[in-house]
């Protein structure tokens, strides 16, 4: 989301709406409209920071930079320990769907979680500190200098660990830092593993989890949290929490690699311990299942034979027997769908943009007009969309309205919803025809309503609501009084710290039905509004969610399975008793009560004013500091050089500067004036700049594409986002460049320059709106379009080149397979004999070792089957058709630190027509080709791609050519 910053700010950095407040341990940068949350953030950070230092023996290498922002309607955070300690976080309330987030105060929880990442990655022994001193800081792998992979491991070895280690440790400790409130003691995690044991589902091993488990499962990356948290909890239970802490520490004598440190602490390999945990887990959950089965299990009839992944709130059309909902499952882009429960047929109605895991989208239903209302951009600022369920026709009602949890009022056809902005939640009303909203009530910070519903008679509004201390309620208001300004509720039930889910009114308005882990298992509960009586109406073996009462008295529920949620029917009958299952977290606390002493003090214990050392307006360019510096190899033409690179950044990465200086030794055949190489590049928000002398490049060592150039270059560019509505983006790029003392064209390595000076100016528009389904490895449908104009002056000759292209893709019925049409057209004006006044084509374009785009054959200037720059034109039309086949996902090929993840094949055919018109320069060329890309994972976080390609070129009147391509993309 930080990419949106250029659209929010003026070019003069003095007008950036950013301020900072600083202590000895942190520099908090925030957008000015969030200033009211700065004190709470500093207090929460200070207490957590002290805890991390005490428990992990952490001596911070530097103060932590924090960026507080509000570019998403749901809260989240991210952390880095290299090149500097940094935390970015959104202030919106997190989604509590299925209790997959902690209901504790959000910033307190975020600071605890993210600082575990920072502390356990930044921890250093003397040998790590030696390398940090040698390289002037911690190193982040940089694609331009792949040697940095080694430097990163030397300076921050504990950042190079599997994601399950990072997220499992953070969730585990975050839970106990919050006094036991979190997923290490959560009902969802218990349910997941109980379902796996019941269904006999295989458990992933550490390698299978990171190679396959986070790609093919409907929970994708969340599996790293699930498995990691559970493994850490079992370790603490089986071996003591103190040993878990020792594993994460980096004391003198500890091992650099996490797996070696594990064996040193626990006395066995991590893979063996993992299998021991699985054996324990199966027995633990069998005992839980036996406990649940002490009372009769509620019978269910599945409405679909297979799971549907994540499912939103659903609505049922009883006349047609159709169940409507928002769905997100592997192989299909998230969408509004219709399931015919009578014949099992299924219909995709409308795609959803940026659907959420578990929640997918907020959905409301107007049965009178067969209209569904849903939210798009659910991971950013939500839009409100209406779709005709019969025709699929969509209407954008409110853009960036930030409203969700919507519910339809059948009496006046209005919508009610919850709006998130600046960390606060507001209850809003959207009257028909839904062109504007009005605020009904803005709640205090930390009070968050969700899962709204309106009674069938339109008189009452219900909501689940969380308080700042983590307490959870279902509350009911008289709607007329609420709209008149009274926030006094007429009914309330307190669920403690168990989140009440999706409570909806019965058809007669007497009850609210919803789910809760009130007894440890998510069952359906019936709450009588007038009396406050609560009864369980199901005894689920695993878990039921999102109830919907039918006219028959039966109820549609979502039944959890290991592959996602299945719509099912149950008979909701009051049950006298249900058994409570055991939570592994509770068992841990009973066996090792030390975890109950780990709670971080509340923010109120800190007086942040006594800690503040500075505050003011934040100017990114004034904050540039050296992050690291290290030796590099460089290629120049056919020679090898050595150099040093220096990297500068501000604490929140708005501004950067890189300086690389290299020298080619005298053993080469280069003239003396081409032995020195300097390249300086910088960026600030949307600005880019570069100064180069005899530009060199690491990847020129591996050819055949050459990026190094003789002479000097001065470049200045600016990228402006005209539309930023991910995945839909429209970007305007403006570039100016001047080259001197050149012998080769800057963008055509095999074309000699006729003048040693060249000045260019270019404008480009790039549009993208592409989608991919869960589990995809490439874009599967959508549109990519571009148009550009370049004006050149080479010596005393001028020229202009115009180019445009459009890519159109469609998903095929075969999961993760797509068909693309890629079209380009170009016209150049200028002397045909002027090299600058031509377009050039040829080759795959990949080096044997590379850092660029893998599918280089898709680029406008590529033409596999021909030599690089072999074809030239002043006018051309180019057409490609590409079929991307489904990938093959690997599970256990390699080691956790280096393994194969997937292989993807693609075939393509291209036709190129140049300079048509019957003249001697007219050419017609084509090719047929294929490329296979093999994704490899190295050092747990970094991806490489080994590509093999072949193309056969054809040209009318000439012999066909062949080209083989082998390329390893590094980072």
């Amino acid at each position: 989301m930080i990419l949106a910053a250029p659209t929010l700010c003026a070019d003069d950095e003095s007008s950036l709406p950013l301020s900072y407040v600083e202590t000895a341990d942190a520099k908090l940068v925030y957008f000015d409209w969030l200033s009211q949350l700065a004190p709470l953030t500093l207090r929460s950070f200070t207490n957590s920071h002290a805890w991390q230092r005490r428990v992990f023996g952490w001596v911070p290498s530097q103060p932590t930079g924090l960026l507080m922002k509000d570019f998403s309607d749901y809260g989240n955070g991210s952390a880095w320990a290299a090149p500097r300690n940094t935390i970015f976080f959104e202030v919106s309330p997190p989604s509590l769907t299925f209790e997959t987030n902690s209901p504790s105060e959000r910033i307190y929880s975020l600071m605890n979680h993210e600082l575990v990442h920072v502390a356990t990655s930044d921890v250093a022994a003397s040998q790590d500190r030696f390398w940090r001193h040698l390289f002037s800081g911690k190193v982040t792998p940089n694609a331009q200098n792949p040697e940095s992979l080694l430097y990163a491991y030397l300076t921050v070895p504990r950042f190079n660990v599997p994601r399950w280690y990072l997220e499992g440790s953070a969730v585990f400790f975050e839970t106990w830092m919050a006094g036991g409130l979190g997923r290490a003691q959560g009902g969802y995690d218990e349910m997941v593993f109980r379902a796996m044991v019941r269904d006999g589902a295989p458990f992933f091993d550490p390698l299978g989890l990171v190679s396959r488990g986070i790609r093919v499962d409907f929970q994708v990356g969340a599996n790293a949290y699930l498995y990691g948290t559970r493994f850490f909890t079992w370790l603490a239970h089986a071996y003591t929490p103190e040993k878990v802490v020792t594993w994460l520490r980096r004391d003198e004598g500890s091992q650099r690699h996490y797996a070696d440190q594990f064996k040193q602490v626990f006395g066995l390999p991590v893979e063996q311990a993992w299998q021991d945990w699985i054996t324990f887990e199966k027995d633990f959950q069998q005992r839980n299942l036996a406990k649940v089965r002490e009372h009769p299990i509620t019978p269910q009839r599945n409405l679909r034979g297979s799971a549907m992944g994540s499912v939103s709130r659903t609505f049922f059309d009883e006349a047609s027997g159709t169940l409507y909902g928002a769905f997100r499952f592997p192989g299909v882009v998230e969408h509004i769908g219709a399931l015919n429960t009578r014949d099992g047929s299924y219909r995709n109605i409308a795609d959803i943009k940026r659907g959420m895991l578990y929640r997918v989208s907020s959905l409301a239903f107007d049965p009178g007009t067969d209209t569904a209302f849903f939210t798009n951009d659910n991971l950013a600022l939500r839009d409100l969309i209406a779709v005709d369920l019969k025709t699929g026709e969509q209407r954008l009602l409110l853009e960036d309205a930030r409203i969700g949890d919507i519910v339809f009022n059948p009496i006046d056809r209005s919508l009610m919803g919850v709006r998130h902005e600046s960390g606060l939640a507001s209850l809003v009303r959207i009257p028909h025809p839904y062109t504007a909203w009005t605020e009904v009530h803005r709640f205090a910070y930390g009070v968050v309503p969700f899962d709204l519903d309106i009674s069938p008679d339109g008189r009452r509004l219900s909501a689940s609501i969380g308080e700042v201390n983590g307490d959870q309620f279902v509350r009911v208001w008289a709607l007329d009084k609420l709209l008149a300004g009274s926030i006094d509720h007429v009914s309330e039930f307190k669920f403690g710290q168990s989140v009440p889910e999706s409570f909806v009114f019965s058809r007669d308005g007497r009850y609210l039905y919803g789910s809760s882990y009130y007894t440890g298992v998510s069952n359906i509960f019936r709450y009588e509004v007038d009396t406050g009586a609560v009864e369980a109406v199901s005894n689920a073996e695993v878990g039921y969610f999102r109830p919907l009462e039918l006219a028959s008295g039966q109820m549609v529920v979502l039944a959890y399975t290991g592959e996602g949620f299945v719509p099912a029917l149950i008979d909701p009958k009051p049950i006298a008793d249900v058994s409570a299952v055991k939570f592994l977290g509770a068992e841990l606390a009973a066996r090792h009560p030390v975890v109950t002493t780990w709670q971080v003090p509340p923010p109120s214990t800190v007086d942040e004013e006594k800690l503040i050392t500075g505050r003011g307006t934040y100017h990114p360019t004034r904050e540039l500091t050296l992050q690291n510096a290290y030796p590099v190899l460089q290629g120049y033409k056919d020679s090898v050089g050595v150099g040093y690179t220096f990297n500068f950044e501000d604490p929140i990465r708005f501004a950067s500067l890189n300086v690389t200086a290299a020298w080619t030794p005298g053993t080469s055949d280069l003239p003396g004036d081409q032995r020195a190489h300097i390249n300086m590049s910088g960026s600030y928000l949307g600005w880019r700049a570069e100064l180069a002398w005899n530009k060199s490049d690491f990847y020129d060592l591996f050819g055949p594409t050459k990026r190094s150039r003789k002479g000097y270059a001065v470049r200045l560019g600016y990228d402006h986002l005209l539309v930023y509505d991910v995945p839909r983006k429209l970007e305007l790029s403006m570039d100016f460049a001047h080259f001197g003392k050149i012998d080769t064209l800057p963008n055509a390595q095999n074309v000699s320059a006729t003048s040693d000076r060249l000045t260019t100016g270019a404008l480009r528009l790039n549009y993208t709106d592409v989608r991919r389904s869960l589990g995809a490895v490439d874009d599967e449908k959508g549109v990519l379009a571009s148009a550009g104009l370049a004006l050149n002056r080479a010596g005393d000759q001028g020229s202009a080149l115009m180019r445009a292209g459009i890519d159109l893709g469609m998903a095929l019925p075969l999961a993760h397979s797509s068909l693309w049409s890629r079209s380009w057209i170009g016209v150049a004006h200028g002397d045909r004999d002027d090299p600058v006044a031509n377009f050039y084509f040829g080759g795959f374009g990949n080096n044997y070792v590379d850092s660029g785009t893998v599918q280089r054959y898709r680029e406008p200037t590529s033409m596999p089957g021909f030599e690089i720059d072999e074809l030239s034109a002043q006018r051309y039309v180019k057409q490609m058709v590409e079929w991307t086949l489904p990938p093959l996902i690997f599970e256990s090929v390699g080691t956790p630190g280096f393994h194969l993840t997937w292989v993807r094949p693609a075939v393509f055919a291209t036709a190129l027509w140049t300079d048509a018109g019957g003249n001697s320069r007219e050419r017609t060329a084509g090719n047929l080709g294929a490329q296979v890309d093999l994704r490899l994972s190295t050092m747990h976080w970094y991806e490489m791609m080994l590509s093999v390609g072949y193309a056969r070129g054809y040209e009318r009147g000439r012999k066909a050519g062949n080209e083989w391509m082998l390329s390893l993309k590094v980072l």
Side-chain angles (χ1 to χ4, degrees), residues 945-965:
M945 190 83 80
L946 180 64
S947 299
V948 179
Y950 171 78
R952 185 171 181 83
Y954 301 90
E955 186 173 3
R956 187 172 57 188
R958 298 183 63 184
K959 185 178 179 180
N962 297 284
E963 182 182 1
W964 283 94
M965 182 273 294

Side-chain angles (χ1 to χ4, degrees), residues 396-417:
L396 174 62
L397 302 177
L398 296 170
E399 186 173 13
D400 293 342
R402 310 195 65 172
I403 298 171
D405 293 284
I406 53 175
V407 61
F408 179 75
N409 188 334
I411 304 305
D412 62 7
R413 299 189 62 201
S414 67
L415 293 170
M416 298 288 290

Side-chain angles (χ1 to χ4, degrees), residues 62 100 317 426 454 469 792:
Q62 61 204 176
T100 51
D317 180 357
S426 300
I454 292 177
N469 64 356
N792 306 310

